[in-house]
Amino acid sequence: MVIENDIESCGSRAVQSSSSHAHPRHHRQKLEVYNEVLRRIQDSNSDEANVPGFDDQLWLHFNRLPARYALDVNVERAEDVLAHQRLLKLAEDPANRPAFQVRLVQVYPFGGANNVDSMHSDPSEKEDAQSSLNHSFKQGVHPPPTFGSSSNLEALALQNVEHGGSPMGVMPYIQRPMHEITFSTVDKPKLLSQLTSILGELGLNIQEAHAFSTSDGFSLDVFVVEGWPNEETEELKGVLEREILKVKGILSGASEHYQARMEPSPHCIEIPSDGADVWEIDPNQLKYENKVGSGSFGDLYRGTYCSQDVAIKVLKPERISTDMLREFAQEVYIMRKIRHKNVVQFIGACTRPPNLCIVTEFMSRGSLYDFLHKQRGVFKLPSLLKVAIDVSKGMNYLHQNNIIHRDLKTANLLMDENEVVKVADFGVARVQTQSGVMTAETGTYRWMAPEVIEHKPYDQKADVFSFGIALWELLTGELPYSYLTPLQAAVGVVQKGLRPTIPKNTHPRLSELLQRCWQQDPLLRPDFSEIKEILQQIAKEVNEDKDRHKEKSSHSHGFLSSLRRGHN
Ligand SMILES: Nc1ncnc2c1ncn2[C@@H]1O[C@H](COP(=O)(O)OP(=O)(O)OP(=O)(O)O)[C@@H](O)[C@H]1O
């Protein structure tokens, strides 16, 4: 399985520069692929190829897309490049969005021609593989996918065996034809999740996903899926169309792309208020110091407000859209009521555009993610337990207030100067509805509960799953499923019951807790009040053991010294 777009948050695609100066080698390869595709299209005598300026249009197409589009596309499928051009053209009209096409493909275990290069360092081996592939293509009933497959699926399946699962997926994958579904629409955050959700709703299993963004704000997402029972495309197209209709408003991008660019920002956004607190901050009272980082909202600065150290999260004016404002209002609405020593304290907000910002206490020791993965820090068991207890207390408080975090991960666990860990970032948190049903999705795949990835209704137990993954990360200092891209990890977690491997020497009760937290069935996961109790008990045992150990060694030390004294 090849999954592109190695990003942590599924919606934010990096638009790669098409500048030839930045990557001369990429530019050369792109040119080669372009020439080959052009030659094949011209040889095929397609009508489009005879239109004057077609070659320029084709070059423009390659340049609109990231370099990896040209590097990964299967040149044997030059007609797919034409189809992509057509889809992108169609997507310019809001009425057509998302534009999509479906075709049958035959997938082979060692992928398309493109991938042969990366798999065989020995040229003779490469030739053999290439010729056997060509042979397979000739034998195949359907053409291959547009982008080369790799042996990653097998890696995933093998991984699954290691994790106690069965090596499912490999043989059927080799033999069965699949469907390739390509979407084009206006690019937007979380689009990839929305598309995968549509496919999931239809019972389709994604085997490959290739996501591209054009430099002018459109998306081209190619999925190879299995699970459609028939070798046909018309019926599948019909069902897809109906499914898309249900979420048309969101996928057409009408609410974000165009409003964000064309509508003037409102004079003042309305924050729901029950008059409980005065939290509006005068922007003139904020002093900005250095920039600490950036998130999907905008930039985060260290600063001061009324002489206290604060973190100022500034919403970028050029990125203001109706949806963003709604999210901003939501964050303020949630945060102003929250007060707990293990939750980052909200101080106030500036809510008059263009000065939109959220001010919180400043957490001088940064995130646990940075500590583990950038500073290569490690936690000894007692400190690990203290951190985990801090987080479970903060989370317990949030859950008691009907708040589901939905994006719990080590990047959102911050430490203050006293080494107290607090839960942060409510940008995506939501107040649970009365019915208890939440269907919106967000977050980060590596930490996400399977029901969230699958867009099923979920509840607070989704945070428990993420907590389990974060706890494993604290224990090992490793990134969960570091050998997979986020989307591959998501497919593994949902379809193959993939979970991180717990190190053998882990405290048995901690190991049991981890496994309970990441149970597939949310009902089997403990809640945070139980988690807190368990962690506190383990911490007590560990401390008692330590004390006993100390006592023992001081006794034996005393005994040894008395022996020594006796000898003297
Ligand atoms: N109160 C704070 N004090 C100190 N550093 C913070 C604080 N809040 C966030 N940060 C750091 O600032 C950076 C940006 O945080 P921000 O919350 O804006 O985005 P994010 O959580 O990284 O991404 P996203 O919002 O897309 O999930 C992160 O590195 C985070 O660790």
Side-chain angles (χ1 to χ4, degrees), residues 294-296 300 311 313 360-363 367 407 412 414 425:
S294 298
S296 46
L300 192 121
K313 197 188 240 190
T360 62
E361 67 177 307
F362 185 75
M363 302 292 286
S367 75
D407 198 19
N412 287 333
L414 307 179
D425 204 352

Side-chain angles (χ1 to χ4, degrees), residues 241-295:
E241 229 147 50
R242 281 196 293 281
E243 200 59 40
I244 285 170
L245 262 185
K246 292 187 200 161
V247 284
K248 182 98 176 156
I250 306 170
L251 285 176
S252 67
S255 64
E256 305 205 349
H257 190 75
Y258 285 95
Q259 286 185 12
R261 286 181 185 186
M262 293 153 125
E263 270 185 10
S265 52
H267 174 62
C268 181
I269 59 162
E270 209 177 311
I271 307 283
S273 165
D274 55 11
D277 238 326
V278 179
W279 41 260
E280 182 70 45
I281 283 183
D282 174 358
N284 297 324
Q285 291 198 314
L286 285 173
K287 257 206 217 112
Y288 288 81
E289 285 163 30
N290 53 312
K291 184 164 136 184
V292 177
S294 298

Side-chain angles (χ1 to χ4, degrees), residues 260 265 297-298 314-321 324 353-356:
S265 52
F297 239 115
V314 182
L315 189 65
K316 283 187 187 151
E318 71 274 17
R319 295 188 52 194
I320 294 174
S321 68
M324 256 196 164
N355 293 314
L356 293 179

Side-chain angles (χ1 to χ4, degrees), residues 350-496:
C350 303
T351 63
R352 301 190 202 294
N355 293 314
L356 293 179
C357 65
I358 290 176
V359 181
T360 62
E361 67 177 307
F362 185 75
M363 302 292 286
S364 60
R365 296 204 176 197
S367 75
L368 295 188
Y369 181 94
D370 287 353
F371 174 74
L372 291 172
H373 307 299
K374 295 193 181 154
Q375 297 152 28
R376 308 297 312 164
V378 280
F379 286 108
K380 290 207 173 127
L381 188 57
S383 356
L384 179 145
L385 290 166
K386 159 137 189 350
V387 167
I389 291 167
D390 278 353
V391 177
S392 60
K393 282 181 182 168
M395 288 306 302
N396 193 31
Y397 170 82
L398 292 179
H399 284 186
Q400 280 172 346
N401 283 280
N402 286 332
I403 292 168
I404 302 178
H405 191 292
R406 304 202 312 162
D407 198 19
L408 188 61
K409 54 183 182 183
T410 45
N412 287 333
L413 298 174
L414 307 179
M415 203 184 251
D416 71 7
E417 68 277 16
N418 302 316
E419 297 187 3
V420 174
V421 171
K422 307 190 185 198
V423 179
D425 204 352
F426 291 85
V428 288
R430 294 283 179 274
V431 178
Q432 197 174 14
T433 58
Q434 287 303 314
S435 67
V437 176
M438 294 190 62
T439 48
E441 62 71 43
T442 186
T444 306
Y445 281 148
R446 291 183 199 282
W447 291 265
M448 240 189 226
E451 65 272 21
V452 182
I453 298 172
E454 285 196 284
H455 302 261
K456 290 182 178 161
Y458 63 89
D459 62 9
Q460 297 167 333
K461 293 294 182 66
D463 286 341
V464 173
F465 182 98
S466 307
F467 173 80
I469 303 289
L471 192 52
W472 175 89
E473 204 180 336
L474 297 179
L475 194 68
T476 59
E478 286 170 29
L479 189 69
Y481 327 108
S482 55
Y483 49 91
L484 299 175
T485 65
L487 204 52
Q488 282 174 325
V491 173
V493 166
V494 170
Q495 291 181 12
K496 315 215 187 279

Side-chain angles (χ1 to χ4, degrees), residues 197-213:
S197 149
I198 289 182
L199 300 176
E201 285 296 318
L202 300 182
L204 302 173
N205 295 326
I206 300 169
Q207 298 298 335
E208 296 191 19
H210 301 260
F212 303 100
S213 298

Side-chain angles (χ1 to χ4, degrees), residues 89-153:
K89 183 88 201 136
L90 275 173
E92 283 172 18
D93 180 351
N96 297 329
R97 291 204 289 254
F100 73 94
Q101 71 154 28
V102 181
R103 69 182 183 94
L104 273 162
V105 290
Q106 197 82 31
V107 183
Y108 293 89
F110 294 108
N114 297 43
N115 281 43
V116 173
D117 275 358
S118 58
M119 285 162 50
H120 301 275
S121 46
D122 176 352
S124 62
E125 229 182 277
K126 195 162 95 181
E127 249 168 51
D128 286 351
Q130 180 71 66
S131 77
S132 76
L133 268 174
N134 288 340
H135 179 63
S136 307
F137 288 158
K138 276 168 205 142
Q139 277 190 341
V141 185
H142 306 293
T146 311
F147 297 94
S149 311
S150 78
S151 51
N152 280 359
L153 182 78

